[in-house]
Amino acid sequence: MPGKSKEVIDLSSTLPEIWRMLSDVERNLLRENARVLNFKKNELIYLEDEIPKDLMCLFKGKVKIYKSGVGGRSQIIRIIRPYMYFGYRAYFAREPYVTAASAFEACTVCMIPMELIETFLRKNGDLAMFFIQMLSVDLGIADQRVVNLTQKHVRGRLAESLIFLKESYGLEEDGATINIYLAREDLASLSNMTTSNAIRTLSNFVNERILAVDGRKIKIIDEERLRKISRIG
Amino acid sequence: MPGKSKEVIDLSSTLPEIWRMLSDVERNLLRENARVLNFKKNELIYLEDEIPKDLMCLFKGKVKIYKSGVGGRSQIIRIIRPYMYFGYRAYFAREPYVTAASAFEACTVCMIPMELIETFLRKNGDLAMFFIQMLSVDLGIADQRVVNLTQKHVRGRLAESLIFLKESYGLEEDGATINIYLAREDLASLSNMTTSNAIRTLSNFVNERILAVDGRKIKIIDEERLRKISRIG
DNA sequence: ATATATTTGTGTTTTAGAACATAGTTCTAT
DNA sequence: ATAGAACTATGTTCTAAAACACAAATATAT
């Protein structure tokens, strides 16, 4: 069970886009209804086929949104970093979740009832546009992803995922190590390949001096080359 | 150049969802700004990298939304049937188009300036929710599509496309012929395979008495089996 | 601390589907 | 009506990536 935190959170700084658009009355309602939950590493946040109830905002940690495909093979659809919103699409579509979400590492998530969000945005054009824009951006990314995952070869797909991880979570103090430690299996599921192929292609990149790998730590040595591999597929 | 039609269109019946949600003043504005254009078969409606300006509603005909991928290989992202809206995602995301649209067959399209739509929905929660819901449904479909196109085999992907075409455009009077005539190349681009493979797999389905094919006419003989192939991949 | 499970790494085999080649057929334009 | 282009069909070859098999290295739990 996820732990319920009772500490006081300053929503004006953690949910700035939404907070800014609300009236005082609405802000009070938000404060009263928002809950903050903690999840342990690998804990499930929501499951496929569940009924969506909350808008979620990741305060701390890393989350993967994934889908189980043909023959149980799972596929990471997107990854969430702090202060990104998630979990609202299915509610708006009036559908159960078609994806699941779980914590890559210990997480803190703010949950806000979707009913509340919907009443807010029905009266607030700016808030409505905020969600419309997020959905539109995500839909564009999904369309792009269809082409990338189906047309690029394994090297291109892995290179792309590594760059994506770097842009999402940034680098450590050394200016080279990607700031997320994934299992090879997750790297594979993000790049639509088998685990063996992720391992093999990663070793190839190391031999070609594009990366340096130490367990789950991945250092980008030659980003230019990595980007080129991603581009040409 | 697409032809500009001067005939009077009854927007209350062609754009019922939007019309219903507007005030009289807004309806007049809509009438004054909506244009109806005709496109010939294979004519381009919009192009990748263009700046999106209009919400489009297909009144007549069939439209494909596609993306050119790695090495010029093009991929159909979705297909539009009458009274579906399209062309608005990129505007909302504040991006140029990342897809192109062209007419499978002669089309009539209603164009409404996006600025107008945005001002409407900023004041109208129901209209905002209408777009939020459309985007949310489409995003769910795109997520599902990523898994289907990457994990299913050619037979599964083609079977799925055929069922999708049937559900989108329906059957002819004989209750079996899919009501759209696509080139094998388009069938391939919809199912993420090469044209040769689309042709070959289609012939296999004919040999297995799942389909009957006469040129571009495709008859579904054994829908149950087709659905099973689509399901198991 | 030690047993058990999970993850990583590598070599080998198999296969689905792309690429290529060629020919027949059906549109389309003048 | 006829030439050229585009589409459809089928056989053959080739290759990327999956599937499988087995160690070795780590992590996790008792």
Side-chain angles (χ1 to χ4, degrees):
Chain A
M1 277 284 94
K4 277 166 219 202
S5 158
K6 273 279 141 248
E7 55 188 309
V8 179
I9 301 277
D10 174 17
L11 296 178
S12 72
S13 67
T14 47
L15 307 172
E17 308 90 345
I18 291 182
W19 192 260
R20 186 160 25 89
M21 299 176 191
L22 299 181
S23 69
D24 282 350
V25 179
E26 289 168 334
R27 285 176 181 177
N28 275 331
L29 262 170
L30 181 61
R31 231 190 319 251
E32 283 160 22
N33 286 284
R35 291 154 301 139
V36 175
L37 301 186
N38 291 306
F39 294 88
K40 283 185 289 223
K41 188 179 170 170
N42 293 322
E43 203 175 354
L44 287 162
I45 299 173
Y46 65 78
L47 269 171
E48 226 158 316
D49 299 322
E50 267 181 28
I51 304 299
K53 294 194 158 42
D54 293 293
L55 169 67
M56 301 176 199
C57 181
L58 183 63
F59 280 176
K60 207 156 68 70
K62 293 169 179 120
V63 167
K64 66 172 166 185
I65 310 289
Y66 62 99
K67 242 177 117 42
S68 64
V70 182
R73 232 175 100 199
S74 102
Q75 162 105 49
I76 295 180
I77 298 291
R78 66 188 130 258
I79 59 178
I80 307 294
R81 58 173 185 277
Y83 306 111
M84 280 174 73
Y85 295 94
F86 65 104
Y88 56 91
R89 186 210 66 80
Y91 177 89
F92 282 139
R94 275 71 168 118
E95 296 168 355
Y97 282 120
V98 298
T99 54
S102 85
F104 269 136
E105 52 182 57
C107 283
T108 306
V109 179
C110 179
M111 322 277 268
I112 303 159
M114 279 301 300
E115 284 90 348
L116 193 63
I117 294 294
E118 186 171 339
T119 57
F120 286 173
L121 71 81
R122 277 180 179 277
K123 293 177 302 190
N124 186 328
D126 288 337
L127 191 58
M129 274 306 298
F130 176 71
F131 280 97
I132 286 175
Q133 190 171 354
M134 272 201 297
L135 285 163
S136 296
V137 168
D138 280 352
L139 184 53
I141 293 171
D143 286 349
Q144 182 63 53
R145 200 168 153 73
V146 168
V147 174
N148 286 339
L149 287 185
T150 56
Q151 297 196 359
K152 286 184 185 173
H153 287 181
V154 279
R155 285 170 62 87
R157 300 201 306 269
L158 183 62
E160 191 189 18
S161 293
L162 292 171
I163 290 167
F164 168 68
L165 289 172
K166 183 222 145 184
E167 316 244 279
S168 297
Y169 293 118
L171 300 173
E172 296 186 353
E173 304 72 50
D174 66 358
T177 306
I178 299 172
N179 196 15
I180 184 175
Y181 299 164
L182 293 187
R184 302 291 190 265
E185 192 183 353
D186 281 323
L187 219 44
S189 152
L190 192 62
S191 317
N192 182 40
M193 62 184 73
T194 54
T195 305
S196 318
N197 261 325
I199 290 167
R200 217 181 296 268
T201 308
L202 217 48
S203 321
N204 290 343
F205 285 169
V206 170
N207 289 336
E208 297 167 39
R209 315 237 169 278
I210 296 167
L211 304 176
V213 168
D214 170 20
R216 294 188 179 182
K217 266 192 219 268
I218 298 174
K219 255 189 207 179
I220 299 179
I221 305 292
D222 190 343
E223 181 165 339
E224 207 36 67
R225 205 123 69 89
L226 198 61
R227 283 188 183 277
K228 192 178 174 192
I229 292 167
S230 163
R231 222 172 320 114
I232 62 174
Chain B
M1 278 283 96
K4 279 166 217 201
S5 158
K6 273 280 139 246
E7 57 187 310
V8 179
I9 301 277
D10 175 16
L11 296 179
S12 73
S13 67
T14 47
L15 308 172
E17 307 93 343
I18 291 182
W19 191 260
R20 184 159 27 88
M21 300 177 191
L22 299 181
S23 67
D24 283 349
V25 179
E26 290 169 333
R27 285 176 180 176
N28 275 332
L29 262 171
L30 181 61
R31 230 189 321 250
E32 284 160 20
N33 286 283
R35 291 154 301 139
V36 175
L37 301 186
N38 292 305
F39 294 88
K40 284 184 289 225
K41 188 177 169 171
N42 294 322
E43 202 175 355
L44 288 162
I45 298 173
Y46 65 78
L47 269 172
E48 225 158 318
D49 300 321
E50 267 180 29
I51 304 299
K53 295 195 158 38
D54 293 292
L55 169 67
M56 302 176 197
C57 181
L58 184 63
F59 281 175
K60 208 158 65 71
K62 294 170 179 117
V63 167
K64 65 173 165 183
I65 310 289
Y66 62 98
K67 242 176 118 42
S68 64
V70 181
R73 236 175 97 200
S74 103
Q75 162 104 49
I76 295 180
I77 299 290
R78 64 188 130 256
I79 59 178
I80 307 294
R81 58 172 184 276
Y83 305 111
M84 281 174 72
Y85 295 93
F86 65 103
Y88 55 92
R89 186 211 66 81
Y91 178 90
F92 282 140
R94 274 71 169 116
E95 295 168 356
Y97 282 120
V98 297
T99 54
S102 84
F104 270 136
E105 51 183 59
C107 283
T108 305
V109 180
C110 178
M111 323 277 266
I112 304 159
M114 280 300 301
E115 283 91 348
L116 193 64
I117 295 293
E118 186 172 338
T119 57
F120 286 173
L121 71 81
R122 277 180 179 276
K123 293 177 302 190
N124 185 328
D126 288 338
L127 191 58
M129 274 306 299
F130 176 71
F131 280 97
I132 286 175
Q133 190 171 354
M134 272 201 297
L135 284 163
S136 296
V137 168
D138 280 352
L139 183 54
I141 292 171
D143 286 348
Q144 182 63 53
R145 200 167 154 73
V146 169
V147 174
N148 286 340
L149 287 185
T150 56
Q151 298 195 0
K152 286 184 184 173
H153 288 182
V154 280
R155 283 169 64 86
R157 301 203 303 269
L158 183 62
E160 192 189 15
S161 293
L162 292 171
I163 289 167
F164 168 68
L165 289 172
K166 182 221 147 187
E167 317 243 278
S168 298
Y169 294 116
L171 299 174
E172 296 186 352
E173 304 73 50
D174 66 359
T177 305
I178 299 173
N179 195 14
I180 183 175
Y181 300 164
L182 293 187
R184 302 289 189 268
E185 191 183 351
D186 281 323
L187 218 47
S189 152
L190 192 61
S191 316
N192 182 40
M193 61 184 73
T194 54
T195 306
S196 316
N197 262 326
I199 291 167
R200 218 182 297 268
T201 308
L202 218 48
S203 324
N204 290 343
F205 285 168
V206 171
N207 289 336
E208 297 166 40
R209 315 236 170 278
I210 297 167
L211 304 176
V213 168
D214 171 21
R216 295 188 179 181
K217 264 191 221 269
I218 298 174
K219 255 189 208 181
I220 299 179
I221 305 292
D222 190 344
E223 181 165 339
E224 208 36 66
R225 204 124 67 88
L226 198 61
R227 283 187 183 278
K228 193 179 172 191
I229 292 168
S230 162
R231 221 171 323 112
I232 62 174

